[in-house]
């Protein structure tokens, strides 16, 4: 009940973010139910059904990441003076945040179930002249237990992840003095994963061995090793995100920086662990899209991506981008006191805006070429 009261009493912007989480969960739930419908309608194609379910893990992971980012920026569960005296300590607020996430995700799963049943014609007859009947196996009964299990997966995963991310002792406290001068430890591992992934792709493509996977579009029959290397490359770019952001902060402070560049660089170095990972994930998604577009444009054949593949890709892009924007909002909240102190000391607001533009500019100037390079290299083994 406390979580519901806090949900009702928050500002409209916070409510909008929660509704976006519910919408993303609805999309993932609909994909899972469509996978179930394919399995029910094609009982002789178990490997293809398992592969479809496996590919649903990507939009599910993006949705969970977005739900955690929204929970971290929720002002109603932020520790405030006096709350511990009424029993709302850090542990209780973490439980409230997890409960709020569960409410939003459960709402999304319910919407997904209603949409799925409506398109199947189980509620008011077949809509759109039965265009989705074959895709959703409308002529067969829905396994209730399997459907409820799949629909419970996104809320359970998001709630657990939010509880772990916000548990006491895991808050993003300011870094100790001098700690910002080192590279985050994820950069070497990320570079290593990218190198291993590219090497695995090249080796698998030249060897030509291994069974192909029945993927949509012109990826049908691609060697498993190539796709595994592609996944490693994307994970490596996401892992290297904080280190790249930290390096961008150092780059801003190079070559006799002025006050604005020094401020922008120091803030970026301090925020690298918080915004670097979502930025790296967005870079990994964009590199995968670049590689997919390159392969699809250069290869022969006419097979196109299906509507569910497009829905999954759209969910991944929207959720990862929304996570990055939410992480930027969280960073702005954490440096609010610093901003107020600078304004009290007489710093013009234009200086703060210029520093913010510098941070955004250097991140784009570094991440866009890196993303394009990784995406192009990842597509080379599949384009011959």
């Amino acid at each position: 009940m406390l979580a519901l009261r806090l949900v009702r009493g928050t500002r409209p912007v916070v409510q909008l973010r929660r509704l976006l989480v519910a919408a993303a969960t609805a999309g993932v739930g609909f994909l899972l139910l469509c996978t179930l419908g394919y399995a029910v309608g094609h009982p002789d194609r178990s490997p293809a059904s398992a592969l479809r379910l496996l590919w649903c893990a990507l939009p599910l992971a993006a949705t969970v990441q977005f739900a955690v980012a929204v929970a971290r920026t929720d002002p109603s569960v932020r520790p405030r003076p006096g709350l511990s005296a009424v029993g709302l300590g850090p542990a209780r607020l973490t439980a409230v945040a997890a409960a709020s996430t569960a409410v939003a995700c459960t709402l999304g799963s319910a919407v997904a179930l209603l949409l799925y049943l409506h398109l199947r014609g189980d509620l008011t007859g077949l809509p759109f002249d039965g265009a989705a009947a074959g895709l959703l196996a409308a002529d067969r009964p829905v396994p209730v237990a399997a459907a409820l299990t799949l629909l419970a997966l996104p809320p359970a995963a998001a709630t657990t992840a939010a509880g772990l991310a916000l548990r006491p002792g895991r808050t993003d406290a300011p870094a100790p003095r001098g700690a910002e001068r080192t590279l985050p430890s994820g950069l070497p591992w990320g570079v290593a994963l990218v190198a291993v992934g590219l090497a695995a792709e090249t080796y698998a493509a030249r060897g030509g061995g291994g069974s192909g996977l029945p993927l949509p579009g012109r990826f049908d029959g691609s060697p498993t090793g190539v796709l595994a290397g592609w996944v490693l490359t994307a994970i490596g770019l996401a892992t290297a995100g904080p280190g790249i952001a930290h390096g961008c902060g150092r780059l801003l402070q190079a070559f006799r920086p002025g006050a604005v560049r020094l401020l922008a660089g120091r803030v970026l170095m301090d925020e690298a662990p918080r915004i670097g990972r979502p930025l790296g994930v967005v870079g990994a998604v964009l590199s995968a899209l670049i590689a997919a577009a390159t392969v699809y444009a250069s290869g022969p054949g006419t097979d196109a991506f299906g509507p569910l593949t497009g829905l999954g890709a759209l969910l991944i892009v929207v959720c990862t981008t929304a996570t990055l924007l939410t992480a930027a909002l969280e960073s702005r909240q954490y440096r609010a006191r610093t901003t107020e102190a600078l304004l009290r000391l007489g710093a013009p607001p234009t200086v703060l805006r210029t520093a913010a533009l510098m941070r955004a500019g250097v991140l784009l100037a570094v991440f866009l070429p890196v993303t394009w390079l990784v995406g192009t290299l990842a597509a080379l083994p599949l384009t011959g």
Side-chain angles (χ1 to χ4, degrees):
M1 292 301 296
L2 177 61
L4 290 176
R5 290 180 180 180
L6 290 176
V7 166
R8 291 176 53 191
T10 51
R11 294 176 299 175
V13 177
V14 180
Q15 299 282 23
L16 177 60
R17 292 201 293 264
R18 289 171 178 160
L19 288 178
L20 290 177
V21 171
T25 307
V28 174
F30 184 75
L31 282 178
L32 292 172
L33 290 178
C34 290
T35 302
L36 177 63
Y38 181 86
V40 171
H42 305 82
D44 56 332
R45 301 180 184 177
S46 298
S49 301
L51 184 64
R52 285 171 175 255
L53 183 62
L54 180 63
W55 278 101
C56 290
L58 295 178
L60 175 61
T63 301
V64 170
Q65 184 193 25
F66 178 45
V68 172
V70 170
R72 292 169 63 96
T73 57
D74 194 339
S76 62
V77 297
R78 193 176 305 157
R80 291 184 295 272
L83 290 181
S84 298
V86 294
L88 291 178
R92 185 71 182 276
L93 289 178
T94 300
V96 170
S100 301
T101 304
V103 169
C105 294
T106 303
L107 175 62
S109 293
V111 172
L113 179 60
L114 291 177
L115 178 62
Y116 181 74
L117 295 177
H118 173 66
L119 293 178
R120 279 175 48 90
D122 295 335
L123 299 180
T124 58
L126 282 174
F128 308 113
D129 297 329
L135 183 64
L136 305 180
D139 57 337
R140 296 176 179 267
V142 179
V144 179
L148 294 180
T149 301
L150 290 177
L151 287 177
L153 184 59
T159 302
T160 303
L164 292 176
L166 298 175
R167 70 182 185 271
R170 193 175 169 80
T171 55
D172 288 331
R177 185 180 299 275
E180 68 275 4
R181 295 188 179 92
T182 59
L183 287 169
S185 59
L187 182 59
W189 290 103
V191 174
L193 284 175
V194 170
V196 171
L198 293 176
E201 287 183 60
T202 305
Y203 179 79
R206 288 182 178 179
S211 60
L213 295 177
L215 299 179
R218 297 177 185 174
F219 301 94
D220 189 18
S222 299
T224 307
V226 172
L227 300 173
W230 201 353
V231 172
L232 283 178
T233 302
I235 294 176
L237 185 57
T239 305
I244 297 177
H246 191 274
C248 291
R250 282 188 172 274
L251 181 63
L252 276 175
Q253 301 175 78
F255 308 110
R256 296 182 179 180
V260 178
R261 279 205 295 137
L262 185 62
L263 175 62
R266 298 295 289 184
V267 170
L268 186 54
M269 290 173 65
D270 184 64
E271 294 178 350
R274 192 174 296 118
I275 67 171
R277 185 62 53 83
L279 192 58
V281 171
V282 171
V285 171
L286 291 180
S287 67
L289 291 178
I290 292 173
T294 303
V295 172
Y296 188 77
S298 61
T302 59
D303 292 337
F305 293 94
L308 298 183
T309 305
L311 176 59
L314 179 63
L315 278 174
I316 294 173
V317 173
V318 171
C319 287
T320 52
T321 304
T323 302
L324 177 59
L325 296 177
T326 307
L329 176 63
E330 182 187 8
S331 299
R332 182 180 179 183
Q333 292 175 352
Y334 271 95
R335 66 170 185 269
R337 294 184 178 180
T338 304
T339 302
E340 293 176 359
L342 290 174
L343 293 176
R344 285 197 304 267
L345 291 175
T350 54
V351 171
L352 301 179
R353 288 194 293 266
T354 304
L357 290 176
M358 281 188 176
R359 292 195 300 272
V362 72
L363 288 175
L364 289 177
V366 173
F367 267 92
L368 287 181
V370 171
T371 299
W372 176 84
L373 178 63
V374 172
T376 303
L377 292 177
L380 285 180
L382 292 177
T383 57

